[in-house]
């Protein structure tokens, strides 16, 4: 690896490593007690509670927490759907754009509600400014919801014989005011310093080298990019997302957005460590996440450095690797670094076209989604996602040391075993159940732009992206067609709420338990051996679920590519 | 660790195997299979594929021999799992039969009019006619017709039929040795017994039900594991069901028989097939240690125990304190002291008294004086002294404060006081001796710790179990014995209330507590403890309150109980891990085989270089069936449990069953493939 690349790796990861622990500890204070920011934002926080008629001190049992969350999401979702369907009657619609079709409106509402940011619509052509703003609201709210669920689960693990796990609205508001806002503002300033537009001025007409006039768009792009990255959203201001020179103008801005993808997800791991009082375990979980991330990067880069024999035979430059779909400014290395980050987090923003990546690189992205986006996963979602694996491993390994499995001193009983299995299996079950009919029904196949195994990869990717609430896509997939719009909407819905509910239920039942003291007979839930087990669980659960599908998709495609095999259009 | 037991049943292996084979077929009844969801799925698959064999569209000419073999092996998979369960049950049944033979109807002499004395007029009734509360008279040579409590009389009883212990035991009314068990034989004397259970509920009945597995309730961990297995089965059902649409998309179609073969290979049949055998065999292991658990839950709890409460007397130390030294007061010859101690103890029948006689006789060659010994004053609760009035002298020995009162002293004068305190500090009990209200000195009584206890406690510590010694001694004595024996903690001057309180306090901290006891006053604590082990020679109240009974009445058995509990959990966890790890190799065998025709590149995934697609699939199915048979001995025996820290155990079992489970099928499937292609079972 050239020295420049080594330096890039050190800088990229170094900054995240430097910032994540203090941020994680700060977040723990946000959700547990007071922070200095409350001196300025406290009055605003109290006004919000007063307006909403919420008593922030009222502790809730898990089912009330879950019920308020669901009601809040239902109302938000219906509101968002209404806005998208009625935008022609609403203000800030200078282009007089008509309503979004029902299927796409449903898809988009669910997409932004669930922190997915799957974009079945075309922003510039279909959405009014008002609708865009409604989406941006959800870009703030949905990561705050994810963080709320995570900290509620952390509390459930930490508390002793408690009936309650916190207050949903308090967690929501504090996450917004004290975590997301303070992060978004400085990062937005940094991005706009690097040249990302942040203005309300009209489009700039410029004369190009060829002598033509081109409109350079403006708008609040820096602000939106900032929350889209910090909030593991991924839905960009411009169509080309972070490959667009306006959204990601420089080497430095690429570093900044990359750090923003990983910052909050990794910090949440240490929030967990603080809140449950086990920093060692936080480091173990972090190590597992980082391992998958680094392995994903290594595979992606290794795959991206070569092109298949048929492409190599064409008169194009391929010495630096597969440049198809890759932004010239970033090249295969920075694209390969970006890919496992945005799919490991349920971010889904891109700085290259995944659809054009070599099959192994595409499979890394797909596999990240099939893991459920837990390395390190979306804001909050990654931690509560991986904790299902932690509990699963605790159960199996606990039996292997001859004790009723216990996690941080709490016995895992029949109820938790059920909930863990639901939370663990919902990702593979939903992906397989939705992708299988999509692979044969003509209504679905209309969305598939490629023949052969790559077409299957596209289908798998769409539903995996939906279930994992990632939002990235293999670009050829026709997401706006009614069947795909509705079914991917269903995927996003299942992948969000059928994991949140068991997570909160586990929080409730663990909170009610007391911790047994640790003895020599207790299974250690940190350290390299537990880390190795956790890693195996993460890989094996997804591996066993998707081995056949992957074999017929990217794996078959990989061998076909290198054999120069072509597939006829259907 | 296990001593040979008289009632260890000679299991006739070939007979057991034959019966198990028959039972394996009988268990194919779908109603029976439903309780095991994993194997039920296999059965549905086997039935479905069998039906498909007769459908020419599904089989297509040339593949029929392979399909036929796959279907046969699917049925074998089922039969092997059933066989494992039947074999485990068969061993239990054999044991139950031997217990049942004790239960043959005996004639009971029921006391008419319910008079509670040994001379009450009796009527002869069959033993099954006895009801709770009836009184029966049992004489020498007769079998006890019922479980009960002796209300009058004392008898020596041969309990070998139930406990395997050939030495007869003495049972008498009142106190903690009054319980008797049906099927045991009265060797001498005559007793009046109050029946404590109705027919069908006796101890023997419970034992039979237990070892037969008839009323086997799944323990919580087993239920939780079943949920996990069902979850995995569901996901593999989906994997296989969705494979067909993916295949159709890819331009091919997979035969349903191959899909079922893949499904059966993937779902955790290894653990699913052996799970109930493991549970039944675990109970059986307990019984072979002469332990009776009232539920599987108790056995699992035993593996989780954090705190083990052990009575000092009889468990950690020999029951009796022994005199080891005489410490004379200044100016008193030691021989004088020894002589007075000797004389006061001649009539004393307690072990302590006898040890004083032995010590004095040994050290100073004293012999019993001829003629009239004098007037003996036995120990009484009022004076707390015992002694002798002889030749005009009052000779007394007793506890410190009692003798001081007797001598009219406030405190033991120095330097004797220092010596007495030193005895207490060393964990001994000082007995003071006086003559005519004048203090002569002290006898050093010492608790003698059983050999090997320190090592056992160290072992328990490694297992993560804290031992707590329960004693009526004062804290100072208790601390000394605790230090000497190596227990982690002690509860001194313990009353039954304090024991109960101690257990509750530990449990409030989330700990699981095991204790053993025999007396009626132990019953509340036994009931409160997570694992209560009652001694078989204890009272009925203790036996009822406990959730386990030790027929050997050996309190250190708690250690074995904990180990068996752990072994049970480890066996389940290890085989589950093994089962899941196996799937990797099966995928590598079957998936390339199914799709290599449309995607020739997938041949790279055929890492085992299996001969043909058909041989690959068949080999995987055969391996999947044979591994169940191969693991039956392990399931019945339980995986080896080496007491060590959790981290060490995990490392060991993970390596053995995780990594092993990954590698073994690669080798096994390859070997089977070589074999079946060699002998020409597949092309």
């Amino acid at each position: 690896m050239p020295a420049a690349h080594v330096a890039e790796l050190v800088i990229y990861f170094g900054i995240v490593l430097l910032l994540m622990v203090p941020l994680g500890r700060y977040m723990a204070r946000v959700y547990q007690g007071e922070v200095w920011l409350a001196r300025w934002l406290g009055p605003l926080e109290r006004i919000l509670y007063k307006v909403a008629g919420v008593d922030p001190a009222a502790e809730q049992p898990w089912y009330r927490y879950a019920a308020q969350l669901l009601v809040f999401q239902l109302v938000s979702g219906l509101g968002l759907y209404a806005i998208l369907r009625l935008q022609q009657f609403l203000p800030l619609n200078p282009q007089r754009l008509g309503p979004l079709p029902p299927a796409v409106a449903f898809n988009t509402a669910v997409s932004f509600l669930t922190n997915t940011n799957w974009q079945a619509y075309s922003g510039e052509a279909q959405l009014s400014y008002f609708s865009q703003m409604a989406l941006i609201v959800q870009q703030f709210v949905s990561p705050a919801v994810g963080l709320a669920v995570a900290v509620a689960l952390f509390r459930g693990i930490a508390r002793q014989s408690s009936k309650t796990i916190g207050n949903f609205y308090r967690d929501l508001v504090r996450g917004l005011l004290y975590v997301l806002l303070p992060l978004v503002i400085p990062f937005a300033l940094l991005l706009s310093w690097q040249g990302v537009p942040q203005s309300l001025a009209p489009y700039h007409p410029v004369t190009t080298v060829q002598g033509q006039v081109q409109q350079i768009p403006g708008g609040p792009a820096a602000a939106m990019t900032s929350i889209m990255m910090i909030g593991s959203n991924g839905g960009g201001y411009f169509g080309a997302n972070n490959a667009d020179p306006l959204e990601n103008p420089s080497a430095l801005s690429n570093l900044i957005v990359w750090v923003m993808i990983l910052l909050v997800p990794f910090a949440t791991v240490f929030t967990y460590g603080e809140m449950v009082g086990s920093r060692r375990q936080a480091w173990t979980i972090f190590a597992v996440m980082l391992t998958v991330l680094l392995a994903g990067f290594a595979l992606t880069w290794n795959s991206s450095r070569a092109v298949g024999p048929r492409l190599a035979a064409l008169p194009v430059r391929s010495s630096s690797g597969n440049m198809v779909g890759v932004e010239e400014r970033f090249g295969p290395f920075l694209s390969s670094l970006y890919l496992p980050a945005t799919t490991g987090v349920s971010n889904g923003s891109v700085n290259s076209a995944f659809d054009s990546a070599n099959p192994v690189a595409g499979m890394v992205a797909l596999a990240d989604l099939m893991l459920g986006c837990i390395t390190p996963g979306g804001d909050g979602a990654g931690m509560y996602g991986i904790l299902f694996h932690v509990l699963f491993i605790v159960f199996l390994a606990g039996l292997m040391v001859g004790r009723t499995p216990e996690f941080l001193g709490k016995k895992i009983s029949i109820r938790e075993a059920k909930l863990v299995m639901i939370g663990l299996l919902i990702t593979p079950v939903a992906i397989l159940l939705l992708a299988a009919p999509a692979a044969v029904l003509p209504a679905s196949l209309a969305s598939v732009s490629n023949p052969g195994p790559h077409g299957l990869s596209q289908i798998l990717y769409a539903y995996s992206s939906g279930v994992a609430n990632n939002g990235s896509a293999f670009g050829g997939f026709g997401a706006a067609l009614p069947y795909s719009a509705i079914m991917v909407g269903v995927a996003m819905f299942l992948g969000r709420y059928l994991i949140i509910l068991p997570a909160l239920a586990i929080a409730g039942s663990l909170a009610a338990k007391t911790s047994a003291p640790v003895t020599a007979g207790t299974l250690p839930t940190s350290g390299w051996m537990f880390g190795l087990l956790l890693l195996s669980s993460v890989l094996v659960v997804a591996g066993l679920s998707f081995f056949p599908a992957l074999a017929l998709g990217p794996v078959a495609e990989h061998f076909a590519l290198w054999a120069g095999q072509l597939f006829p259009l259907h | 660790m296990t001593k040979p037991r008289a009632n260890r049943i000679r299991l006739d292996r070939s007979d057991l195997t034959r019966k198990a084979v028959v039972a394996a077929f009988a268990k194919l009844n779908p109603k029976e299979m439903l309780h095991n969801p994993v194997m039920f799925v296999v059965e549905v698959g086997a039935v479905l594929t069998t039906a498909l064999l007769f459908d020419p569209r599904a089989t297509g000419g040339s593949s029929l021999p392979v399909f036929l073999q796959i279907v046969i092996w699917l049925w074998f998979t089922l039969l092997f799992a059933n066989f494992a369960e039947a074999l485990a049950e068969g061993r239990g049944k054999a044991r139950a039969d031997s217990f049942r033979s004790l239960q043959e109807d005996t004639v009971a002499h029921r006391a008419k009019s319910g008079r509670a004395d040994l001379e009450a007029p009796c009527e002869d009734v069959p033993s099954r006619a006895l009801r709770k509360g009836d009184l029966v008279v049992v004489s020498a040579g007769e079998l006890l017709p019922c479980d009960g409590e002796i209300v009058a009389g004392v008898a020596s009883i041969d309990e070998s039929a139930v406990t395997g212990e050939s030495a007869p035991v003495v049972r008498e009314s009142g106190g903690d040795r009054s319980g008797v068990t049906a099927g045991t034989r009265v060797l001498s004397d005559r007793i009046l017994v109050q029946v404590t259970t109705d027919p069908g509920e006796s101890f023997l009945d419970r034992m039979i039900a237990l070892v037969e597995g008839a009323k086997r309730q799944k323990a919580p961990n087993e239920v939780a594991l079943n949920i996990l297995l069902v979850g995995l089965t569901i996901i593999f059902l989906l994997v296989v069901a969705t494979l067909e649409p993916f295949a159709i998309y890819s331009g091919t179609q997979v035969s349903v028989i191959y899909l079922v073969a893949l499904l059966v290979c993937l779902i955790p049949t290894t653990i699913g097939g052996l799970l109930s055998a493991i549970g039944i065999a675990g109970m059986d292991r307990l019984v072979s240690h002469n332990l009776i658990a009232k539920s599987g839950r108790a056995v699992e709890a035993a593996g989780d125990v954090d705190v083990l409460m052990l009575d000092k007397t009889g468990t950690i130390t020999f029951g009796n304190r022994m005199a080891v030294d005489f410490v004379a007061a200044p100016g008193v010859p030691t021989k004088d002291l020894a002589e007075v101690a000797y004389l006061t103890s001649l009539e004393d029948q307690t072990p302590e008294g006898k040890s004083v006689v032995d010590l004095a006789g040994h050290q100073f060659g004293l012999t019993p004086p001829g003629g009239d010994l004098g007037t003996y004053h036995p120990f009484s609760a009022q004076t707390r002294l015992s002694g002798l009035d002889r030749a005009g002298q009052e000779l007394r020995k007793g506890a410190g404060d009692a003798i001081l009162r007797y001598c009219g002293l406030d405190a033991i004068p120095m330097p004797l006081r220092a010596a007495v305190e030193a005895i207490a500090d060393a964990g001994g009990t000082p007995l003071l001796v006086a003559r005519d209200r004048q203090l002569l000195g002290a006898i050093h009584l010492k608790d003698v710790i059983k050999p090997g206890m320190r090592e056992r406690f160290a072992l328990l510590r490694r297992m993560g179990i804290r031992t707590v010694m329960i004693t009526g001694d004062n804290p100072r004595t208790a601390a000394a014995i605790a230090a000497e024996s190596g227990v982690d903690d002690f509860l001194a001057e313990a009353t039954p209330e304090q024991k109960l309180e101690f257990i509750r306090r530990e449990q409030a901290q989330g700990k699981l507590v095991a204790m053993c006891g025999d007396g009626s006053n132990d019953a509340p604590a036994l009931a409160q403890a997570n694992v209560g082990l009652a001694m078989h020679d204890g009272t009925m109240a203790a036996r009822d309150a406990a959730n386990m009974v030790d027929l050997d009445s050996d309190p250190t058995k708690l250690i074995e109980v904990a180990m068996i509990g752990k072994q049970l959990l480890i066996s389940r966890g290890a085989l589950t891990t093994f089962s899941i790890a196996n799937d990797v190799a099966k995928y590598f065998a079957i998936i390339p085989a199914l799709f290599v025709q449309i995607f020739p590149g997938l041949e790279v995934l055929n890492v085992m270089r299996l001969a043909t697609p058909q041989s690959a699939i068949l080999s995987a199915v055969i391996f999947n069936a044979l591994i169940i048979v191969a693991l039956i001995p392990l399931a019945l025996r339980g995986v080896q449990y080496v007491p060590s820290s959790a981290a060490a155990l995990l490392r060991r079992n993970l390596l053995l069953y995780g990594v092993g489970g990954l590698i073994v099928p690669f080798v096994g499937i390859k070997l089977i493939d070589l074999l079946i292609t060699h002998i020409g079972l597949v092309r």
Side-chain angles (χ1 to χ4, degrees), chain A residues 400 402-404 455 516 520 522 544, chain B residues 221 249 304 306 510 566 587 646 653:
Chain A
M400 270 198 289
R403 278 171 76 95
T404 294
T522 314
L544 294 181
Chain B
N221 275 316
Y249 174 91
D304 288 348
D306 302 291
K566 281 186 186 297
Y587 263 138
N653 290 326

Side-chain angles (χ1 to χ4, degrees), chain B residues 25 97 213 250 267 291 313 378 454 485 568 594 603 612:
Chain B
F25 282 93
D97 286 343
S250 309
I267 59 176
L291 286 158
T313 310
R454 183 170 272 280
S485 62
L568 194 61
L594 290 180
E603 180 58 23
T612 65

Side-chain angles (χ1 to χ4, degrees), chain A residues 64-87:
Chain A
R64 181 145 311 142
Y65 197 103
Q68 290 204 345
L69 183 149
L70 290 180
V71 168
F72 174 73
Q73 294 281 271
L74 184 71
V75 172
S76 308
L78 289 176
L80 193 54
Y81 180 79
I83 290 170
L84 297 173
R85 294 284 294 144
L86 302 171
Q87 61 177 350

Side-chain angles (χ1 to χ4, degrees), chain A residues 39-119:
Chain A
R39 242 184 279 165
W40 288 278
L41 294 175
L44 177 59
E45 187 188 352
R46 282 187 289 277
I47 288 170
L48 284 172
Y49 294 140
K50 196 154 265 174
V51 170
V54 171
D55 173 12
E59 284 279 328
Q60 299 166 332
W62 79 267
Y63 47 87
R64 181 145 311 142
Y65 197 103
Q68 290 204 345
L69 183 149
L70 290 180
V71 168
F72 174 73
Q73 294 281 271
L74 184 71
V75 172
S76 308
L78 289 176
L80 193 54
Y81 180 79
I83 290 170
L84 297 173
R85 294 284 294 144
L86 302 171
Q87 61 177 350
Q88 69 275 29
F89 306 118
L90 295 170
L92 293 176
N93 188 357
Q95 304 297 117
R96 305 195 178 284
L97 294 168
L100 224 52
V104 177
F106 162 75
N107 180 295
T108 305
V110 176
S111 168
F112 280 77
L113 205 62
T114 57
N115 195 237
T116 311
N117 288 214
W118 172 266
Q119 290 165 299

